[in-house]
Amino acid sequence: MRYLIALLVAPVLAQAATTFDGYEAFYASLPDTLFHGDGVQLQPYAMEGDDEMRYGWQGVAAGRRQALEVRDGVLTINGRVLKRSRIQPFPGEAVGETDLGMGAVAYFSPSWTCVENTPTSASGSAVRHRVVYLIKRGEKGYEGWRLPSLFAHCTSVRMKRQRILVQEASYRYVEGQDVATGVTLNEFALLKGKFSPTGVSRSITFVEPGNVYRFSVDVGADR
């Protein structure tokens, strides 16, 4: 009898272990993540004669000295400007002048930088979308990609077998209902500078009606 009870309870315990209160906690549980921790927040400052506030940070990260600055929405990394023309958006996303500014947070790893921000103008369900720039340092300067924005975080970026992997989130609905029951995360690899689907997806289900930040990972969600 005890053996039978254990068999019945085990799946329940396994499911409970996959419940998360937020996407950052979920992303931190994934293997091969490229960025870790809380990142560093760019701080506001002004130069004499400036009409616009600047946001910046400098210090040691990923084994080297780093310096970032955002001015008029333009990002400068270690003295080099990342031109908007060098930022490729994921399909459906766009690169804008107000993407970065107050509240921007940066993450570092060898050869890669990630900067994320929720625009101050965002309100309501729009705050679920975050601007995430993934940036690579090359011999000819920096190039970047704007990642899918829904529930996005720098900590969701992974590197496996030298491939960058990112996720595009989309709401999942039950037929005939207007309220989403969960999210499907489709995986894309960055290949030769382009986003290519890998065929892998994860499915998560909201565990409280109306709360999109508390969810469980569906058993067998990876495919």
Side-chain angles (χ1 to χ4, degrees):
M1 178 62 71
R2 290 181 179 176
Y3 178 72
L4 178 59
I5 293 174
L7 287 177
L8 294 173
V9 171
V12 176
L13 293 176
Q15 180 67 16
T18 62
T19 300
F20 294 91
D21 292 301
Y23 292 85
E24 288 179 275
F26 166 61
Y27 296 141
S29 74
L30 298 178
D32 308 308
T33 50
L34 186 60
F35 304 103
H36 307 92
D38 297 327
V40 295
Q41 185 164 350
L42 276 60
Q43 299 298 320
Y45 69 98
M47 301 289 287
E48 187 175 352
D50 273 359
D51 294 329
E52 297 288 337
M53 184 70 71
R54 304 185 188 202
Y55 302 89
W57 180 88
Q58 55 182 317
V60 176
R64 61 169 293 177
R65 188 155 189 82
Q66 312 277 3
L68 273 71
E69 181 188 74
V70 174
R71 182 184 181 188
D72 296 330
V74 176
L75 179 64
T76 299
I77 308 175
N78 298 323
R80 292 189 175 184
V81 175
L82 176 60
K83 298 180 180 179
R84 292 195 182 97
S85 61
R86 299 272 292 173
I87 303 172
Q88 178 178 319
F90 188 88
E93 302 290 345
V95 177
E97 296 180 0
T98 60
D99 284 351
L100 300 179
M102 182 182 298
V105 177
Y107 297 77
F108 303 90
S109 74
S111 300
W112 294 89
T113 301
C114 189
V115 182
E116 64 182 36
N117 192 44
T118 301
T120 55
S121 60
S123 61
S125 60
V127 299
R128 302 173 188 176
H129 293 263
R130 292 175 68 84
V131 174
V132 177
Y133 283 179
L134 178 64
I135 303 155
K136 183 178 182 179
R137 184 179 71 247
E139 294 180 357
K140 297 182 179 180
Y142 291 90
E143 59 181 329
W145 296 264
R146 176 167 174 174
L147 304 188
S149 61
L150 181 60
F151 301 125
H153 287 281
C154 288
T155 53
S156 70
V157 180
R158 301 165 59 217
M159 176 175 280
K160 186 175 183 180
R161 300 189 185 96
Q162 301 304 309
R163 292 195 308 168
I164 289 291
L165 301 175
V166 303
Q167 300 177 100
E168 179 192 28
S170 59
Y171 291 114
R172 193 173 64 256
Y173 296 87
V174 172
E175 186 175 354
Q177 295 188 7
D178 296 330
V179 179
T181 59
V183 167
T184 298
L185 297 165
N186 292 313
E187 185 180 81
F188 288 77
L190 190 58
L191 301 174
K192 297 181 179 180
K194 306 292 184 180
F195 297 101
S196 178
T198 66
V200 173
S201 66
R202 295 178 175 85
S203 180
I204 64 178
T205 299
F206 305 142
V207 298
E208 296 176 0
N211 185 354
V212 300
Y213 296 100
R214 182 169 172 78
F215 54 86
S216 64
V217 180
D218 297 347
V219 176
D222 291 13
R223 67 176 188 272

